[in-house]
Amino acid sequence: MRFTIHNLLKAPVGTLVPMVIALSAILSSPAYALKSDREQPINVESVEQSADLQANKLVFSGDVVATQGSIKVKADKIEITRNNDGTLKSIIAYGSPTTFEQQQDNGRYIRSRSSTLSYIPQETKIVLQGRAVIWQGESKMSGERIEYNINSQKMRAYNNNSQGGRVSSTFVPADFKKDQN
């Protein structure tokens, strides 16, 4: 089933606009995300959409693909929950894996992969959990959990003991050149 921005605006629980904007903030780097993405229509395709009005929850399930411009999120399920006052409480994407990608102004892509991707607006935080990886070119960071604070632009990655308690990062200098495509 295909859902466009017009269908989403009619949904009682809300839209994916906050998610797409939040996800585009992952790894804000000197190579900025395409500025035109926010102006593009949002499209969501899924097998099913359901709304629980009592719980203020909207759920997309079954091979979910959400796009806006160069932004693309794939998940098995995406849950959007509002607080009683109508503000966004959380957006959680679940998958095997959940993936995110967005083209930067320099033509290069930032990508992530994890079991869950959560956006918690009250904390201005995005959390990737479950074999989480974020990469651009050959540079990457991986761990069991990666947290990114949108306001402070601080990132933290860590592992649990089941994976040896270590995180891994690879930085390739060429990946950070502004003039490279």
Side-chain angles (χ1 to χ4, degrees):
M1 185 178 294
R2 182 179 171 97
F3 297 95
T4 64
I5 187 65
H6 302 293
N7 297 90
L8 291 171
L9 290 174
K10 295 176 188 175
V13 178
T15 73
L16 284 178
V17 173
M19 178 184 73
V20 175
I21 291 169
L23 294 178
S24 69
I26 291 178
L27 277 181
S28 292
S29 67
Y32 295 104
L34 283 179
K35 294 172 184 73
S36 62
D37 280 343
R38 290 186 184 194
E39 305 303 318
Q40 300 300 314
I42 298 168
N43 295 293
V44 180
E45 296 179 358
S46 63
V47 174
E48 184 177 339
Q49 175 188 3
S50 62
D52 180 341
L53 301 179
Q54 293 296 320
N56 285 326
K57 186 181 284 190
L58 177 63
V59 178
F60 295 94
S61 59
D63 194 24
V64 183
V65 178
T67 60
Q68 183 182 29
S70 73
I71 298 168
K72 185 178 212 176
V73 178
K74 291 184 177 182
D76 297 331
K77 179 169 78 170
I78 296 176
E79 294 180 354
I80 303 170
T81 307
R82 292 190 314 179
N83 294 307
N84 288 335
D85 65 0
T87 59
L88 182 64
K89 181 176 182 179
S90 66
I91 298 172
I92 304 173
Y94 302 91
S96 297
T98 295
T99 61
F100 165 84
E101 72 176 40
Q102 183 177 23
Q103 186 176 16
Q104 306 298 287
D105 280 337
N106 65 3
R108 302 180 73 227
Y109 281 83
I110 286 189
R111 294 178 168 91
S112 76
R113 182 179 63 235
S114 58
S115 296
T116 62
L117 188 154
S118 303
Y119 171 55
I120 302 101
Q122 291 84 357
E123 300 175 29
T124 64
K125 189 187 316 185
I126 296 171
V127 178
L128 303 172
Q129 193 161 328
R131 299 190 180 272
V133 181
I134 296 177
W135 70 94
Q136 181 178 27
E138 297 299 316
S139 297
K140 68 179 181 176
M141 174 186 286
S142 64
E144 181 60 25
R145 182 179 174 104
I146 299 173
E147 297 178 1
Y148 178 69
N149 185 298
I150 297 164
N151 286 344
S152 68
Q153 296 186 354
K154 293 182 180 178
M155 192 176 318
R156 178 177 178 224
Y158 50 96
N159 257 334
N160 58 29
N161 288 331
S162 68
Q163 291 187 351
R166 311 275 291 167
V167 297
S168 173
S169 294
T170 302
F171 303 102
V172 178
D175 287 340
F176 300 104
K177 291 184 180 176
K178 291 182 182 181
D179 58 345
Q180 197 176 37
N181 287 334

